[in-house]
Amino acid sequence: MIFENIKIALTSMVHNKLRTLLSLLGIIIGVAAVVAILNLGRSATISITESMNIGGVDLVTVYPSGNSRNINVFDTQFGEQLMSNVSGIDVVLPSYTSSTRIRSGQEIKNASIQGVTSNYLPVMDAELLYGDYFTALDNINRRQVVIIGKNLADDLFPAGNAVGSYISIFRGQSKRYQIVGVLDAKEAILGASFDDTVFIPGNTFEQRYMNMSNVSSYVCKVSEGVNATAVQAEIDSYLDKLVGSDNYFTYTAASIVEMADQVTGTFTSFLAAIAAISLLVGGIGIMNIMLVSVAERTREIGIRKALGASPRVIKGQFLVEAITLTVLGGIIGIGLGMFLSYAIVNVVGWELYFSYTAIAISMGFSMFVGIFFGWYPAAKASKLDPIEALSYE
């Protein structure tokens, strides 16, 4: 019986193509909008998260403030102290940071300079284009060796491999440093560019370059599977007791990722809810067309009742027809929504991630609209008196 009713519904749609299309437009537009918005919301969330993952989502950085210069806590040994008192940290990397000018031949460039440990660049996933990383002996012996970013290498040594060459670093007077490695191009992490930075051993920075003992920052590598924001909160709690909240601040990209997820999720849900309103408008259009259909087929209803069709059968016929209309509109709307999603992400430059939840919700809501707005016309048809229906003009 259901398949027979579906066949009748499809036949009616074919005989009234324009009316059917106009009645389906609300459903098609509503479903397409919901699918496109949820697909784009999911794609935006994942794209933002992945871009931030490149930027150190598993890192927590501690920055001593200017107020802490007289506190003898933030030294090179502080990393071990932090690891002993805060769980979930694999390694702590102290770093000295400054800005400088460097020269090769007649070419002079402004650059950032960082004094780091021998394991700093490998832990930060900074890959070498050519050359080698620092060794522990380079750091212990305070050797005047450097690793430079790709942009600096390209600008200072356009002819090619810079390894083995020397650059002069200015700090009052210039000192010569030998290049032992050149980094491959890398996305910035925690707002710092690797491509325009000179890296030297931490002990060399501390005792030969700047003669300072205050570490600029500590990069904490969070253990795999551990939530970085939870580690950040534990670090904050420990440092509040140790030095006071005014003497440091911490940062992790993970908290920004979580905030971005919440913002995009809320915004997407809000837009999807607005788009869903058009489904209700489409439902009203379905109800209207079904009422017209009942009026047009009053004599048909009378004949069927005269031949023994029960009110339940009549109601089922028109209810199935309403559901068929909305499901058909839902299928077309899903296809249109997918097409719009694909077109928009290509323009924006994201990767498309389909939200199968959006498809399920849209189809379910379409069927609900068909049942909800088709019930009254179906019930009206089932209650028609057969004698009055047969005499209807």
Side-chain angles (χ1 to χ4, degrees):
M1 180 63 73
I2 293 178
F3 292 107
E4 185 65 27
N5 287 338
I6 293 175
K7 184 178 178 181
I8 294 171
L10 292 174
T11 302
S12 177
M13 292 179 203
V14 171
H15 289 163
N16 300 279
K17 295 183 183 68
L18 181 59
R19 190 173 71 183
T20 300
L21 176 61
L22 293 175
S23 63
L24 288 180
L25 275 179
I27 299 294
I28 292 172
I29 293 171
V31 170
V34 171
V35 170
I37 288 171
L38 292 180
N39 279 342
L40 293 173
R42 185 166 186 263
S43 298
T45 300
I46 294 176
S47 297
I48 291 170
T49 301
E50 287 182 346
S51 66
M52 289 185 173
N53 282 342
I54 295 173
V57 74
D58 59 346
L59 304 175
V60 179
T61 304
V62 179
Y63 298 95
S65 69
N67 301 330
S68 64
R69 295 189 182 279
N70 296 324
I71 302 176
N72 296 321
V73 171
F74 297 114
D75 54 20
T76 53
Q77 285 74 43
F78 174 70
E80 296 178 6
Q81 180 182 347
L82 195 60
M83 289 180 65
S84 299
N85 290 275
V86 177
S87 60
I89 300 176
D90 277 345
V91 64
V92 178
L93 307 170
S95 171
Y96 302 92
T97 305
S98 182
S99 57
T100 187
R101 288 182 302 144
I102 60 176
R103 183 181 68 195
S104 173
Q106 300 302 312
E107 187 73 26
I108 297 177
K109 299 287 293 184
N110 293 320
S112 298
I113 182 167
Q114 277 191 256
V116 297
T117 56
S118 57
N119 61 339
Y120 180 89
L121 292 172
V123 169
M124 299 294 279
D125 297 322
E127 297 181 358
L128 289 166
L129 191 60
Y130 33 78
D132 296 303
Y133 293 113
F134 299 135
T135 65
L137 283 176
D138 290 333
N139 197 34
I140 292 171
N141 296 328
R142 306 184 298 279
R143 290 175 180 162
Q144 292 183 197
V145 292
V146 298
I147 296 173
I148 63 175
K150 187 175 186 303
N151 288 351
L152 292 178
D154 291 342
D155 291 341
L156 297 175
F157 303 95
N161 196 328
V163 172
S165 302
Y166 286 84
I167 60 172
S168 296
I169 299 180
F170 293 89
R171 174 70 183 172
Q173 59 183 0
S174 65
K175 293 183 179 180
R176 278 164 52 86
Y177 289 74
Q178 186 178 31
I179 299 171
V180 296
V182 174
L183 296 177
D184 201 354
K186 180 174 176 59
E187 294 281 347
I189 292 183
L190 305 177
S193 169
F194 281 65
D195 297 343
D196 297 291
T197 301
V198 177
F199 296 92
I200 67 175
N203 287 351
T204 306
F205 186 104
E206 179 187 359
Q207 299 176 32
R208 290 192 173 183
Y209 172 73
M210 189 168 277
N211 192 25
M212 65 178 290
S213 58
N214 291 93
V215 175
S216 302
S217 65
Y218 301 88
V219 177
C220 306
K221 178 80 170 180
V222 175
S223 304
E224 186 175 353
V226 177
N227 186 290
T229 53
V231 173
Q232 181 187 24
E234 193 172 344
I235 291 173
D236 288 343
S237 177
Y238 172 68
L239 290 180
D240 282 348
K241 297 175 184 177
L242 184 66
V243 299
S245 59
D246 293 336
N247 292 303
Y248 77 95
F249 70 94
T250 59
Y251 171 82
T252 176
S255 60
I256 306 300
V257 169
E258 291 181 4
M259 186 181 300
D261 284 349
Q262 292 176 359
V263 171
T264 55
T266 301
F267 191 61
T268 299
S269 299
F270 176 71
L271 290 178
I274 293 176
I277 294 175
S278 63
L279 282 173
L280 297 177
V281 175
I284 295 172
I286 295 294
M287 177 184 285
N288 181 57
I289 202 65
M290 291 305 299
L291 287 172
V292 171
S293 180
V294 169
E296 287 181 343
R297 294 156 65 185
T298 300
R299 287 180 61 83
E300 176 192 328
I301 295 169
I303 292 171
R304 295 195 66 187
K305 281 199 164 189
L307 293 174
S310 66
R312 182 178 178 182
V313 170
I314 300 297
K315 183 187 293 185
Q317 174 188 339
F318 284 90
L319 196 56
V320 167
E321 187 169 330
I323 295 172
T324 302
L325 271 170
T326 52
V327 169
L328 179 62
I331 293 171
I332 297 172
I334 288 171
L336 179 60
M338 293 294 191
F339 172 77
L340 290 173
S341 303
Y342 182 77
I344 292 172
V345 296
N346 277 346
V347 172
V348 177
W350 296 334
E351 187 174 347
L352 179 60
Y353 294 90
F354 288 117
S355 173
Y356 297 103
T357 302
I359 297 173
I361 290 174
S362 298
M363 283 304 301
F365 201 73
S366 295
M367 293 182 69
F368 170 77
V369 166
I371 294 171
F372 184 82
F373 289 99
W375 186 266
Y376 175 73
K380 183 178 180 181
S382 68
K383 294 176 182 177
L384 285 175
D385 182 86
I387 296 175
E388 293 180 3
L390 285 168
S391 60
Y392 181 82
E393 294 294 336

